[in-house]
């Protein structure tokens, strides 16, 4: 279940295990993508567990994500935003600081694939000044305001694939 939550729920497995993550100060993407219930709603599963997705605000592209962990209901909103041909899932981390976990998301029929950013590859671009951001003492990256040019860099392969491409999180729909 933790792997699903890492991207979709803001309870990142990396944070639990003490490894690093890439956050942004604002949701990643620039275009609101309206959503349809028949595309997104339902019970989705992978080897780590199941989650339930429902539409929270169809016009604003906001989903509600819920699951039970340790006999407690967990729930977060997922904001979908587009950049070019790509779609990003954004989840606001709970806490005092406003920051978002984000990932590339592709829905293909009854399957959702998610790719989290590759921390080391993004770090290099931040250190070179190609992407705005800071590296915390813990190694966590916080991206600042991303322009259209920054999003083009992220979605292109100009600097290589900037996501954990060989480790997608794959969800399959069980029920609608």
């Amino acid at each position: 279940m933790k792997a699903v939550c890492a991207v979709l729920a803001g309870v990142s497995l990396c944070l639990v295990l003490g490894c690093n993550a890439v956050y942004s100060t604002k949701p990643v993407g620039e275009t609101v993508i309206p959503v349809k219930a028949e595309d997104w709603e339902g019970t989705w599963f992978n080897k780590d567990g199941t989650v339930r997705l429902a539409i929270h605000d169809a016009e604003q592209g906001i989903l509600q994500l819920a699951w039970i962990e340790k006999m407690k209901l967990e729930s977060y909103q997922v904001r979908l935003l587009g950049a070019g041909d790509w779609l990003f899932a954004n989840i606001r981390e709970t806490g005092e600081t406003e920051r978002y976990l984000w990932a590339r998301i592709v829905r293909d029929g009854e399957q959702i694939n998610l790719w989290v950013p590759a921390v080391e590859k993004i770090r290099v671009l931040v250190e070179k000044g190609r992407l705005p951001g800071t590296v915390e003492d813990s190694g966590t990256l916080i991206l600042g305001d991303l322009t259209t040019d920054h999003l083009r860099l992220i979605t292109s392969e100009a600097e290589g694939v900037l996501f954990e491409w060989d480790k997608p999180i794959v969800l399959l729909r069980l029920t609608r």
Side-chain angles (χ1 to χ4, degrees), residues 27-35 59-62 79-90 146 148 151:
V28 173
E30 54 191 357
T31 308
V32 172
I33 305 295
V35 293
E59 292 303 311
Q60 292 299 311
I62 300 174
R79 179 140 195 226
L80 302 179
L81 291 173
D85 293 337
W86 283 36
L87 186 62
F88 292 98
N90 295 275
L146 299 174
T148 299
L151 291 170

Side-chain angles (χ1 to χ4, degrees), residues 11-169:
V11 182
S12 172
L13 177 59
C14 281
L15 295 176
V16 171
L17 297 176
C19 60
N20 302 323
V22 179
Y23 291 92
S24 62
T25 56
K26 294 182 179 171
V28 173
E30 54 191 357
T31 308
V32 172
I33 305 295
V35 293
K36 297 178 184 175
E38 61 266 20
D39 293 339
W40 295 96
E41 286 192 343
T43 302
W44 298 80
F45 81 99
N46 77 357
K47 65 182 179 62
D48 296 310
T50 60
V51 296
R52 180 79 183 155
L53 281 175
I55 302 297
H56 178 78
D57 184 333
E59 292 303 311
Q60 292 299 311
I62 300 174
L63 306 172
Q64 190 70 35
L65 171 73
W67 75 97
I68 295 177
E69 187 168 333
K70 296 182 182 178
M71 298 306 291
K72 181 181 173 195
L73 178 65
E74 299 284 344
S75 181
Y76 291 85
Q77 289 183 358
V78 180
R79 179 140 195 226
L80 302 179
L81 291 173
D85 293 337
W86 283 36
L87 186 62
F88 292 98
N90 295 275
I91 297 167
R92 186 174 190 270
E93 183 187 45
T94 56
E96 294 177 20
T97 305
E98 184 169 344
R99 63 185 191 178
Y100 296 82
L101 285 167
W102 57 282
R104 180 178 186 195
I105 184 169
V106 173
R107 189 193 58 77
D108 184 11
E110 304 298 298
Q111 180 172 319
I112 294 174
N113 296 311
L114 297 133
W115 294 272
V116 297
V119 175
E120 292 307 315
K121 292 178 181 181
I122 301 288
R123 177 192 324 272
V124 168
L125 295 176
V126 168
E127 290 172 347
K128 288 181 178 178
R130 302 280 319 271
L131 290 174
T134 58
V135 181
E136 294 184 342
D137 290 339
S138 65
T140 296
L141 294 172
I142 311 291
L143 294 180
D145 291 345
L146 299 174
T147 66
T148 299
D149 288 338
H150 295 133
L151 291 170
R152 270 194 219 110
L153 177 65
I154 290 169
T155 60
S156 76
E157 292 183 11
E159 296 288 336
V161 177
L162 301 178
F163 295 84
E164 298 292 343
W165 211 248
D166 59 340
K167 299 175 189 174
I169 296 169

